[in-house]
Amino acid sequence: MHLIPTQEEIVTLLRETGALRDGHFRYPNGMHSNEYMQMPLAMRQSQHLRLMSVGLSRKLRANPEIRAIVPELSIVAPATAGLPVAYGVCEAIKAKQVYWGERENDDEPLRFRQYLLPEPGEPVVLVDDILRSGTKLSELKKLLEANGAVVVGLAVVLYQPTPNTFDFGNLPFYYLAKLDASYYRDTAACELCQAGMPLEKVWV
Ligand SMILES: [Zn+2]
């Protein structure tokens, strides 16, 4: 393995651990797809987490503007899936600290824990295991900016864009592997449904 694992190495690892699954899946928003990712399956082994975190930290370090502010940098993740990667990246890049945004129920806005707020002007890299719709990461970015932080980058292990993925504009964006799954709006538009393939509902 190289210090920055290749797309093929990451995809192989995700398939071997069962994190990346082929089939016919229905997301809670009604979309159907031929691929599904459940990253915690790959994160069960700490050496996998280390490999991914070190790879991402090296990509971040290659950005001179981020490298220059590493000692001041906060790594912020959406709980809970982003937390292992966030701590892994923080340790590998030697950033200042980690914290996270969370919510108790799906219909509540993201928030930080009580008494935890960014410093004015605090530079932040957003980290997560996967970028799919980007809904939660965009909400976390807004929450940070509303509290005075400056988001300087976004890093995820896997980029799996959908037709509705949030556009982060010119924010520096890093990922280790990109998967182009097929997405279908609903049952009527789904080729896998038409082929009579059994459908599995996924929770997130
Ligand atoms: Zn379908």
Side-chain angles (χ1 to χ4, degrees):
M1 286 270 182
H2 314 289
L3 288 168
I4 298 181
T6 63
Q7 159 102 13
E8 289 66 32
E9 286 168 335
I10 292 291
V11 170
T12 300
L13 189 156
L14 294 176
R15 284 196 191 284
E16 283 177 358
T17 54
L20 177 57
R21 312 179 81 81
D22 295 301
H24 179 197
F25 304 96
R26 183 185 182 280
Y27 285 89
N29 68 2
M31 227 161 17
H32 292 210
S33 181
N34 65 333
E35 275 183 350
Y36 184 62
M37 260 303 304
Q38 191 55 268
M39 192 66 88
L41 288 158
M43 297 293 186
R44 288 174 294 179
Q45 277 78 39
S46 57
Q47 72 269 24
H48 298 156
L49 173 63
R50 197 177 316 117
L51 175 86
M52 295 175 186
S53 306
V54 169
L56 272 184
S57 75
R58 288 188 169 259
K59 291 206 167 195
L60 286 163
R61 264 197 179 277
N63 178 323
E65 287 169 22
I66 291 177
R67 188 168 61 239
I69 54 169
V70 155
E72 306 306 317
L73 199 59
S74 294
I75 309 294
V76 180
T80 52
L83 283 174
V85 197
Y87 276 97
V89 167
C90 184
E91 187 177 343
I93 203 171
K94 298 185 170 58
K96 183 181 177 186
Q97 60 184 2
V98 176
Y99 55 94
W100 59 89
E102 63 189 319
R103 59 179 137 233
E104 300 237 326
N105 298 300
D106 286 344
D107 56 352
E108 293 172 2
L110 276 182
R111 62 178 186 190
F112 302 119
R113 286 290 172 109
Q114 192 172 14
Y115 310 122
L116 198 162
L117 282 174
E119 299 287 331
E122 178 180 301
V124 169
V125 168
L126 295 175
V127 165
D128 206 353
D129 58 348
I130 178 165
L131 173 59
R132 196 179 286 127
S133 71
T135 310
K136 219 187 225 182
L137 282 167
S138 67
E139 189 182 341
L140 187 58
K141 180 170 179 283
K142 280 191 205 116
L143 177 66
L144 283 158
E145 289 170 344
N147 284 285
V150 180
V151 177
V152 297
L154 169 62
V156 299
V157 174
L158 189 72
Y159 178 37
Q160 193 180 29
T162 77
N164 309 316
T165 296
F166 183 84
D167 181 3
F168 287 89
N170 54 8
L171 183 68
F173 173 45
Y174 304 95
Y175 56 85
L176 294 180
K178 181 182 177 191
L179 283 180
D180 289 303
S182 299
Y183 288 97
Y184 308 97
R185 194 174 61 247
D186 52 26
T187 302
C190 179
E191 291 172 15
L192 305 171
C193 281
Q194 283 154 29
M197 200 171 166
L199 181 66
E200 276 178 67
K201 283 185 186 174
V202 290
W203 303 342
V204 289

